[in-house]
Amino acid sequence: MDNLKAPETFQSLKKASEKIFELVTAHLNVQTAYVAKRGDTAMTVLSSINNKEELVPEGLEVTYSGAVCRVVISGEGNTLNSSNLEKDELTRELEIAKDLKMKGFLGVTLRDQKGEVFGTLCVLDQEEKNFSEEDVQFLQSIANVLSYLIELDHTQFNMSLLNVPILPITKGVSVLTLQGIVDEQRADKLTAEVLRYVSQNDIDFFVIELSGLVIIDNEFPYVVVEILQALKVMGVEPILTGVTPAIAMQEAGTIALRNLGIKTVSNIEEALEYIGFSLIES
Protein backbone atom coordinates (compact mmCIF):
# COMPACT_ATOMS: atom_id res chain seq x y z
CA MET A 1 0.00 0.00 0.00
CA ASP A 2 1.34 3.39 -0.96
CA ASN A 3 0.31 6.66 0.63
CA LEU A 4 -0.37 8.79 -2.44
CA LYS A 5 -1.94 12.17 -2.82
CA ALA A 6 -5.42 11.93 -4.30
CA PRO A 7 -6.04 13.72 -7.60
CA GLU A 8 -7.00 17.38 -7.10
CA THR A 9 -9.88 17.14 -9.55
CA PHE A 10 -12.73 16.31 -7.21
CA GLN A 11 -13.15 19.68 -5.51
CA SER A 12 -16.95 19.50 -5.22
CA LEU A 13 -16.64 16.10 -3.55
CA LYS A 14 -14.08 17.41 -1.06
CA LYS A 15 -16.25 20.38 -0.16
CA ALA A 16 -19.42 18.35 0.22
CA SER A 17 -17.95 15.22 1.77
CA GLU A 18 -17.04 16.76 5.13
CA LYS A 19 -20.66 17.51 6.06
CA ILE A 20 -21.96 14.34 4.40
CA PHE A 21 -19.43 12.13 6.18
CA GLU A 22 -20.21 13.79 9.50
CA LEU A 23 -23.87 12.89 8.92
CA VAL A 24 -23.05 9.33 7.88
CA THR A 25 -20.67 8.53 10.74
CA ALA A 26 -23.07 9.99 13.31
CA HIS A 27 -26.11 8.19 11.89
CA LEU A 28 -24.36 4.81 11.66
CA ASN A 29 -22.21 5.32 14.78
CA VAL A 30 -18.89 4.46 13.09
CA GLN A 31 -15.35 5.84 13.20
CA THR A 32 -14.62 6.25 9.51
CA ALA A 33 -16.31 6.94 6.18
CA TYR A 34 -14.56 7.16 2.83
CA VAL A 35 -15.00 7.23 -0.94
CA ALA A 36 -12.65 5.16 -3.09
CA LYS A 37 -12.17 5.34 -6.86
CA ARG A 38 -11.78 2.16 -8.87
CA GLY A 39 -8.77 2.05 -11.17
CA ASP A 40 -7.48 -0.64 -13.50
CA THR A 41 -5.25 -2.20 -10.85
CA ALA A 42 -6.02 -0.42 -7.57
CA MET A 43 -8.55 1.41 -5.42
CA THR A 44 -7.61 4.96 -4.40
CA VAL A 45 -9.24 6.84 -1.50
CA LEU A 46 -10.42 10.23 -2.78
CA SER A 47 -11.96 11.56 0.42
CA SER A 48 -12.35 10.33 4.00
CA ILE A 49 -13.20 11.27 7.56
CA ASN A 50 -11.67 9.59 10.61
CA ASN A 51 -13.27 10.54 13.92
CA LYS A 52 -10.65 8.91 16.15
CA GLU A 53 -7.38 7.56 14.80
CA GLU A 54 -6.72 7.80 11.08
CA LEU A 55 -7.75 4.40 9.74
CA VAL A 56 -8.13 5.38 6.09
CA PRO A 57 -6.08 8.40 4.94
CA GLU A 58 -6.95 10.31 1.78
CA GLY A 59 -4.74 9.18 -1.10
CA LEU A 60 -4.39 5.62 0.23
CA GLU A 61 -3.96 3.23 -2.69
CA VAL A 62 -4.65 -0.48 -2.31
CA THR A 63 -4.10 -3.11 -4.99
CA TYR A 64 -7.51 -4.13 -6.33
CA SER A 65 -7.03 -7.83 -5.60
CA GLY A 66 -6.38 -7.09 -1.93
CA ALA A 67 -8.98 -4.39 -1.37
CA VAL A 68 -12.13 -4.82 0.66
CA CYS A 69 -13.79 -2.59 -1.95
CA ARG A 70 -13.34 -5.41 -4.49
CA VAL A 71 -15.60 -7.56 -2.33
CA VAL A 72 -18.15 -4.70 -2.23
CA ILE A 73 -18.17 -4.40 -6.03
CA SER A 74 -18.41 -8.14 -6.64
CA GLY A 75 -20.81 -8.84 -3.76
CA GLU A 76 -24.52 -9.57 -3.91
CA GLY A 77 -26.34 -6.36 -4.71
CA ASN A 78 -22.96 -4.60 -4.96
CA THR A 79 -22.82 -4.27 -1.17
CA LEU A 80 -20.83 -5.72 1.69
CA ASN A 81 -22.35 -5.79 5.17
CA SER A 82 -20.05 -7.39 7.73
CA SER A 83 -20.16 -7.20 11.50
CA ASN A 84 -16.51 -8.30 11.67
CA LEU A 85 -14.17 -8.32 8.67
CA GLU A 86 -11.56 -10.29 10.60
CA LYS A 87 -13.99 -13.22 10.88
CA ASP A 88 -15.84 -12.85 7.57
CA GLU A 89 -14.75 -15.62 5.19
CA LEU A 90 -14.85 -13.19 2.25
CA THR A 91 -12.45 -10.68 3.80
CA ARG A 92 -10.49 -12.21 6.67
CA GLU A 93 -7.48 -13.06 4.46
CA LEU A 94 -7.23 -9.58 2.94
CA GLU A 95 -4.10 -7.72 4.00
CA ILE A 96 -5.91 -4.41 4.45
CA ALA A 97 -8.40 -5.91 6.90
CA LYS A 98 -5.56 -7.39 8.95
CA ASP A 99 -3.45 -4.22 8.91
CA LEU A 100 -6.23 -1.89 10.02
CA LYS A 101 -7.87 -4.43 12.37
CA MET A 102 -11.23 -3.50 10.89
CA LYS A 103 -14.38 -5.15 12.19
CA GLY A 104 -17.69 -3.43 11.51
CA PHE A 105 -17.94 -2.59 7.80
CA LEU A 106 -20.64 -1.49 5.37
CA GLY A 107 -19.90 -0.61 1.76
CA VAL A 108 -21.95 0.21 -1.34
CA THR A 109 -21.01 1.05 -4.92
CA LEU A 110 -20.85 4.39 -6.70
CA ARG A 111 -22.12 4.44 -10.30
CA ASP A 112 -21.78 6.90 -13.16
CA GLN A 113 -24.63 8.08 -15.37
CA LYS A 114 -24.22 4.99 -17.57
CA GLY A 115 -24.74 2.75 -14.55
CA GLU A 116 -21.13 1.55 -14.49
CA VAL A 117 -19.39 1.11 -11.13
CA PHE A 118 -16.52 3.56 -10.69
CA GLY A 119 -15.99 3.40 -6.92
CA THR A 120 -17.34 2.70 -3.46
CA LEU A 121 -18.70 4.50 -0.41
CA CYS A 122 -17.75 2.65 2.78
CA VAL A 123 -17.94 3.03 6.54
CA LEU A 124 -15.97 1.07 9.10
CA ASP A 125 -15.26 0.73 12.77
CA GLN A 126 -12.78 -1.14 14.96
CA GLU A 127 -15.71 -2.50 16.98
CA GLU A 128 -18.20 -5.10 15.76
CA LYS A 129 -21.29 -3.52 14.17
CA ASN A 130 -24.59 -5.03 13.06
CA PHE A 131 -25.97 -2.89 10.25
CA SER A 132 -29.68 -3.19 9.44
CA GLU A 133 -31.34 -3.15 6.03
CA GLU A 134 -32.37 0.42 6.79
CA ASP A 135 -28.70 1.28 7.31
CA VAL A 136 -27.87 -0.23 3.92
CA GLN A 137 -30.62 1.77 2.22
CA PHE A 138 -29.44 4.94 3.99
CA LEU A 139 -25.86 4.49 2.76
CA GLN A 140 -27.08 3.72 -0.76
CA SER A 141 -29.04 6.98 -0.77
CA ILE A 142 -25.92 8.89 0.27
CA ALA A 143 -23.96 7.06 -2.44
CA ASN A 144 -26.43 8.27 -5.08
CA VAL A 145 -25.82 11.87 -4.01
CA LEU A 146 -22.04 11.48 -4.00
CA SER A 147 -22.10 9.71 -7.38
CA TYR A 148 -23.86 12.70 -8.87
CA LEU A 149 -21.39 15.16 -7.30
CA ILE A 150 -18.33 13.23 -8.49
CA GLU A 151 -19.72 12.82 -12.00
CA LEU A 152 -20.59 16.51 -12.21
CA ASP A 153 -17.22 17.62 -10.86
CA HIS A 154 -15.24 15.31 -13.13
CA THR A 155 -17.22 16.42 -16.18
CA GLN A 156 -16.76 20.11 -15.40
CA PHE A 157 -13.04 19.62 -14.79
CA ASN A 158 -12.48 17.87 -18.10
CA MET A 159 -14.69 20.32 -20.00
CA SER A 160 -12.53 23.18 -18.74
CA LEU A 161 -9.49 21.45 -20.23
CA LEU A 162 -10.95 20.53 -23.62
CA ASN A 163 -9.50 23.66 -25.20
CA VAL A 164 -5.92 22.97 -26.25
CA PRO A 165 -3.78 25.79 -24.79
CA ILE A 166 -1.11 26.29 -27.47
CA LEU A 167 0.92 29.46 -26.95
CA PRO A 168 2.90 30.92 -29.88
CA ILE A 169 6.29 32.20 -28.67
CA THR A 170 7.76 33.49 -31.92
CA LYS A 171 7.70 32.52 -35.59
CA GLY A 172 8.15 28.77 -35.82
CA VAL A 173 8.06 28.14 -32.02
CA SER A 174 5.04 27.27 -29.87
CA VAL A 175 4.36 25.76 -26.45
CA LEU A 176 1.60 23.36 -25.33
CA THR A 177 1.00 23.20 -21.58
CA LEU A 178 -0.69 19.93 -20.57
CA GLN A 179 -2.64 19.96 -17.30
CA GLY A 180 -4.96 17.57 -15.52
CA ILE A 181 -6.25 14.22 -16.72
CA VAL A 182 -5.90 13.17 -20.35
CA ASP A 183 -8.80 10.79 -20.94
CA GLU A 184 -9.85 9.28 -24.27
CA GLN A 185 -12.05 12.21 -25.30
CA ARG A 186 -9.38 14.76 -24.46
CA ALA A 187 -6.66 12.68 -26.15
CA ASP A 188 -8.53 12.77 -29.47
CA LYS A 189 -9.03 16.53 -29.13
CA LEU A 190 -5.35 17.11 -28.31
CA THR A 191 -4.08 15.10 -31.26
CA ALA A 192 -6.38 16.78 -33.76
CA GLU A 193 -5.70 20.32 -32.50
CA VAL A 194 -1.93 19.95 -32.23
CA LEU A 195 -1.51 18.48 -35.70
CA ARG A 196 -3.88 21.03 -37.23
CA TYR A 197 -2.05 23.90 -35.53
CA VAL A 198 1.39 22.68 -36.58
CA SER A 199 0.38 22.15 -40.20
CA GLN A 200 -1.20 25.61 -40.45
CA ASN A 201 1.51 27.61 -38.69
CA ASP A 202 4.83 26.43 -40.18
CA ILE A 203 6.20 25.27 -36.82
CA ASP A 204 9.86 24.26 -36.42
CA PHE A 205 9.99 23.66 -32.64
CA PHE A 206 7.06 22.50 -30.51
CA VAL A 207 7.52 22.50 -26.72
CA ILE A 208 5.24 20.29 -24.59
CA GLU A 209 5.18 21.21 -20.88
CA LEU A 210 4.12 18.28 -18.65
CA SER A 211 4.47 19.47 -15.03
CA GLY A 212 0.68 19.83 -14.58
CA LEU A 213 -0.17 16.44 -16.07
CA VAL A 214 -2.08 14.17 -13.67
CA ILE A 215 -1.12 10.48 -13.77
CA ILE A 216 -4.11 8.19 -13.16
CA ASP A 217 -3.88 4.45 -12.42
CA ASN A 218 -0.08 4.62 -12.81
CA GLU A 219 -0.39 4.94 -16.59
CA PHE A 220 1.39 7.55 -18.70
CA PRO A 221 -1.04 8.86 -21.37
CA TYR A 222 0.34 7.25 -24.53
CA VAL A 223 -1.27 9.93 -26.68
CA VAL A 224 1.72 12.15 -25.76
CA VAL A 225 4.05 9.63 -27.40
CA GLU A 226 1.80 9.45 -30.46
CA ILE A 227 1.77 13.25 -30.81
CA LEU A 228 5.56 13.36 -30.54
CA GLN A 229 5.88 10.67 -33.22
CA ALA A 230 3.55 12.59 -35.53
CA LEU A 231 5.45 15.86 -34.98
CA LYS A 232 8.74 14.22 -35.96
CA VAL A 233 7.16 12.77 -39.10
CA MET A 234 5.95 16.28 -39.99
CA GLY A 235 9.49 17.65 -39.67
CA VAL A 236 8.91 19.44 -36.36
CA GLU A 237 11.38 19.07 -33.49
CA PRO A 238 9.45 18.38 -30.25
CA ILE A 239 10.91 19.30 -26.86
CA LEU A 240 9.61 18.03 -23.51
CA THR A 241 9.75 20.03 -20.29
CA GLY A 242 8.43 19.56 -16.76
CA VAL A 243 8.85 15.80 -16.50
CA THR A 244 7.83 15.10 -12.90
CA PRO A 245 8.96 12.10 -10.79
CA ALA A 246 5.47 10.60 -11.23
CA ILE A 247 5.88 10.76 -15.00
CA ALA A 248 9.47 9.51 -14.94
CA MET A 249 8.36 6.39 -13.03
CA GLN A 250 6.02 5.29 -15.84
CA GLU A 251 8.28 2.67 -17.42
CA ALA A 252 6.34 2.05 -20.65
CA GLY A 253 6.02 5.76 -21.36
CA THR A 254 9.65 6.63 -20.60
CA ILE A 255 10.95 3.75 -22.73
CA ALA A 256 8.82 4.97 -25.65
CA LEU A 257 10.12 8.53 -25.16
CA ARG A 258 13.74 7.35 -25.06
CA ASN A 259 13.23 5.35 -28.24
CA LEU A 260 12.01 8.50 -29.97
CA GLY A 261 15.13 10.40 -28.91
CA ILE A 262 13.12 13.42 -27.74
CA LYS A 263 15.03 16.37 -26.29
CA THR A 264 14.04 16.79 -22.61
CA VAL A 265 14.85 19.84 -20.47
CA SER A 266 13.76 21.04 -17.02
CA ASN A 267 11.60 24.02 -17.95
CA ILE A 268 10.38 26.25 -20.77
CA GLU A 269 13.26 28.73 -20.30
CA GLU A 270 15.79 25.94 -20.92
CA ALA A 271 13.79 24.81 -23.94
CA LEU A 272 13.99 28.32 -25.44
CA GLU A 273 17.72 28.51 -24.69
CA TYR A 274 18.18 25.18 -26.50
CA ILE A 275 16.34 26.57 -29.53
CA GLY A 276 18.54 29.69 -29.46
CA PHE A 277 16.54 32.27 -27.53
CA SER A 278 17.52 33.96 -24.28
CA LEU A 279 15.42 36.00 -21.87
CA ILE A 280 16.66 39.57 -21.37
CA GLU A 281 15.49 41.52 -18.33
CA SER A 282 14.32 45.04 -19.12
Side-chain angles (χ1 to χ4, degrees), residues 37-273:
K37 178 183 178 294
R38 180 185 186 182
D40 290 337
T41 60
M43 299 291 300
T44 302
V45 177
L46 298 179
S47 189
S48 67
I49 187 172
N50 297 273
N51 289 328
K52 296 178 183 178
E53 63 180 290
E54 188 175 54
L55 298 179
V56 181
E58 293 185 356
L60 176 68
E61 185 174 273
V62 181
T63 305
Y64 187 66
S65 61
V68 177
C69 292
R70 172 184 59 80
V71 185
V72 177
I73 293 170
S74 61
E76 183 178 352
N78 293 140
T79 63
L80 174 61
N81 184 351
S82 176
S83 61
N84 190 334
L85 290 179
E86 293 182 313
K87 296 180 179 178
D88 194 314
E89 64 180 32
L90 295 174
T91 59
R92 62 191 178 195
E93 297 303 321
L94 296 179
E95 181 181 353
I96 185 70
K98 294 178 181 178
D99 288 348
L100 297 182
K101 299 187 182 302
M102 292 189 285
K103 292 184 179 178
F105 182 95
L106 177 61
V108 297
T109 54
L110 299 168
R111 295 178 178 272
D112 60 22
Q113 291 181 345
K114 298 178 182 178
E116 297 177 355
V117 174
F118 67 84
T120 58
L121 168 63
C122 304
V123 300
L124 62 92
D125 200 276
Q126 290 182 313
E127 301 294 330
E128 289 193 5
K129 297 287 180 180
N130 292 307
F131 297 106
S132 66
E133 183 58 34
E134 288 184 358
D135 292 335
V136 175
Q137 292 176 2
F138 168 77
L139 197 63
Q140 287 175 331
S141 297
I142 298 296
N144 291 337
V145 174
L146 286 173
S147 293
Y148 175 77
L149 284 174
I150 295 170
E151 182 83 5
L152 177 64
D153 207 28
H154 195 221
T155 299
Q156 288 178 336
F157 180 81
N158 282 337
M159 286 295 290
S160 69
L161 294 172
L162 280 178
N163 291 330
V164 180
I166 300 174
L167 177 66
I169 301 299
T170 187
K171 182 175 174 58
V173 181
S174 291
V175 175
L176 166 66
T177 301
L178 274 183
Q179 293 183 319
I181 301 167
V182 179
D183 58 14
E184 185 175 349
Q185 180 185 12
R186 193 172 174 220
D188 292 341
K189 175 80 171 177
L190 275 172
T191 303
E193 288 295 315
V194 168
L195 300 188
R196 179 194 62 77
Y197 178 89
V198 167
S199 65
Q200 292 180 359
N201 290 277
D202 194 22
I203 299 299
D204 299 310
F205 297 93
F206 195 83
V207 182
I208 300 180
E209 214 287 326
L210 300 177
S211 62
L213 184 67
V214 175
I215 300 297
I216 295 294
D217 299 332
N218 293 319
E219 291 186 9
F220 181 78
Y222 203 78
V223 65
V224 175
V225 176
E226 294 173 340
I227 289 174
L228 294 170
Q229 289 175 323
L231 290 173
K232 294 190 72 171
V233 169
M234 296 172 72
V236 177
E237 181 173 356
I239 303 170
L240 283 182
T241 75
V243 177
T244 64
I247 294 172
M249 291 174 62
Q250 309 311 309
E251 184 176 1
T254 53
I255 289 175
L257 293 176
R258 284 200 298 270
N259 290 340
L260 286 175
I262 301 298
K263 178 66 177 179
T264 303
V265 296
S266 298
N267 51 52
I268 293 177
E269 183 177 352
E270 287 189 18
L272 295 178
E273 289 176 356

